[in-house]
């Protein structure tokens, strides 16, 4: 009984980590699409989102089945509830990657990112990917040490967002539509980062409670 | 045993409905603050947010305790898991109300909303309040009929957002900073509406499953 449950819990964790990997890939590809003004790249991210939503629902269903059939207590219960919350974070992160791709499609062939702010968006994409990778690693290894590094990366994202918004307001170089697109684009990265930090912190908390 | 559990479940539901009421009030007050350019009103919403976060944590803790001690199955299990998700939605809705209030504070004494787009923001605030009220009613009565009306109100919000963004882009009347503020403000209302719809749909689903 216990062995079967452990095996199912291991499958659950693995599927969640796999979803984290796919979510991270989605944002990386969305960033490439927005920088390269690639309609094909954007379409791929948008089309793949349905598969991520599907995977998210499967994982949730599995968590509910584990809860209903095994009636786990203490650490196991916490693991499954944490998994449900992580699944919700990952779903939202995937949606934000899709929103980035949708901006590319809506503005095509005009680029969303003017060359002058390109370095900031490159950096935001890199920090987002780094945060998603760290969250994924925390999920896989149960290592809570990453949490501090994550907080720093999250601060970095906030600084990048402020810098982006400051450039838009004070340089007066772009029209209203470009500024609005970049306002939303920046916000998508910042929200993505916040969710990645939530995922990693939750692992740290679960590990801490177990210890 | 069953009676004690039912009593605890009733308390859980009541606290969740109370949180929904406070969240709805927060957005209503934030809307008033942004329309009246009221620093006091904004400060109240911002200060009250900590209490909402606290209430959210208490409710989550209660849900985890119910799960761990009572090991509920079937409908009861679904109710508690749905409650956890609703609590997460309400927390996010409260944060969005706080963001609206923060915009007021950041721009004061300059108003965030120019008079020409005031009717749109008034309407967005009204639709947000209507959606939050309908979600709260669905939670309290378990009545799923509201779900269709909610979808319509959610569509209305999307139309208002498109109209707001269209006005900003095509009328060229405002500077970049004003356009950026209104882009975020519009997005806060739209996200608030989405979460309210999620809450109500979840009630509809739970009622449907119960049969």
């Amino acid at each position: 009984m216990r062995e079967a449950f452990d095996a199912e819990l291991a499958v659950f964790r693995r599927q969640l980590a796999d979803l984290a990997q796919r979510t991270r890939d989605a944002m990386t590809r969305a960033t490439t699409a927005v920088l390269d003004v690639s309609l094909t790249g954007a379409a791929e991210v948008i089309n793949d989102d349905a598969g991520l939503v599907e995977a998210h629902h499967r994982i949730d269903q599995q968590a509910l089945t584990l809860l209903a059939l095994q009636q786990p207590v203490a650490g196991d219960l916490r693991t499954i509830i944490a998994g449900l919350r992580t699944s919700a974070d990952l779903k939202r992160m995937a949606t934000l990657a899709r929103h980035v791709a949708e901006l590319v499609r809506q503005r095509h062939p005009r680029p969303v990112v003017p060359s002058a702010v390109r370095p900031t968006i490159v950096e935001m994409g890199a920090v987002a990917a780094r945060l998603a990778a760290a969250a994924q690693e925390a999920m896989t290894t149960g290592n809570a040490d990453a949490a501090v590094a994550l907080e720093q990366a999250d601060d970095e994202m906030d600084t990048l967002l402020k810098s982006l918004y400051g450039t838009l307001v004070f340089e007066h170089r772009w029209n209203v539509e470009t500024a609005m697109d970049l306002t939303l684009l920046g916000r998508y990265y910042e929200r993505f980062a916040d969710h990645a930090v939530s995922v990693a912190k939750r692992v740290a908390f679960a590990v801490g409670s177990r210890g």
Side-chain angles (χ1 to χ4, degrees), chain A:
Chain A
M1 180 85 180
R2 178 72 221 180
E3 269 178 39
F5 179 69
D6 281 345
E8 286 185 64
L9 207 56
V11 169
F12 176 65
R13 280 177 195 269
R14 201 158 51 236
Q15 289 184 340
L16 210 50
D18 176 60
L19 190 59
Q21 171 72 50
R22 290 169 67 190
T23 304
R24 174 184 156 195
D25 285 351
M27 191 48 122
T28 301
R29 287 182 296 137
T31 300
T32 305
V34 84
L35 293 170
D36 295 355
V37 197
S38 164
L39 208 49
T40 325
E44 272 175 26
V45 174
I46 294 164
N47 294 336
D48 287 356
D49 187 53
L52 289 177
V53 171
E54 175 66 34
H56 160 83
H57 283 310
R58 263 205 313 278
I59 285 171
D60 282 6
Q61 210 44 58
Q62 205 187 342
L64 293 180
T65 304
L66 281 171
L67 283 176
L69 298 183
Q70 307 284 359
Q71 308 203 353
V73 290
D76 292 334
L77 176 63
R78 265 204 305 272
T79 299
I80 298 171
I81 296 294
L84 275 171
R85 288 175 166 158
T86 293
S87 167
D89 278 316
L90 293 173
K91 187 184 174 197
R92 189 69 207 146
M93 287 163 78
T95 302
L96 291 162
R98 196 190 70 214
H99 284 345
V100 170
E102 281 164 348
L103 269 182
V104 178
R105 181 182 267 181
Q106 281 160 18
R107 296 299 165 250
H108 199 269
R110 185 170 72 65
V112 173
V113 180
S115 56
V117 296
R118 190 183 165 91
T120 308
I121 303 301
V122 168
E123 197 53 39
M124 289 182 110
V127 174
R130 188 142 42 94
L131 281 166
Q136 193 193 343
E137 201 199 316
M139 285 166 69
T140 315
T141 63
N143 186 351
D145 299 345
V148 176
L150 274 164
E151 289 279 7
Q152 283 169 357
D154 194 37
D155 288 347
E156 223 176 300
M157 185 63 95
D158 290 341
T159 306
L160 286 164
L161 187 68
K162 272 191 199 121
S163 148
L164 175 68
Y165 285 3
T167 304
L168 295 175
V169 170
F170 296 112
E171 296 205 4
H172 294 297
R173 279 213 258 182
W174 299 284
N175 64 25
V176 159
E177 190 171 25
T178 300
M180 287 170 68
D181 284 352
L182 290 169
T183 300
L184 288 176
L185 185 64
R187 179 132 180 102
Y188 297 152
Y189 282 111
E190 185 247 348
R191 293 297 307 139
F192 185 94
D194 270 359
H195 285 288
V197 171
S198 293
V199 169
K201 272 194 188 163
R202 197 174 293 123
V203 172
F205 171 76
V207 172
S209 308
R210 234 186 282 152

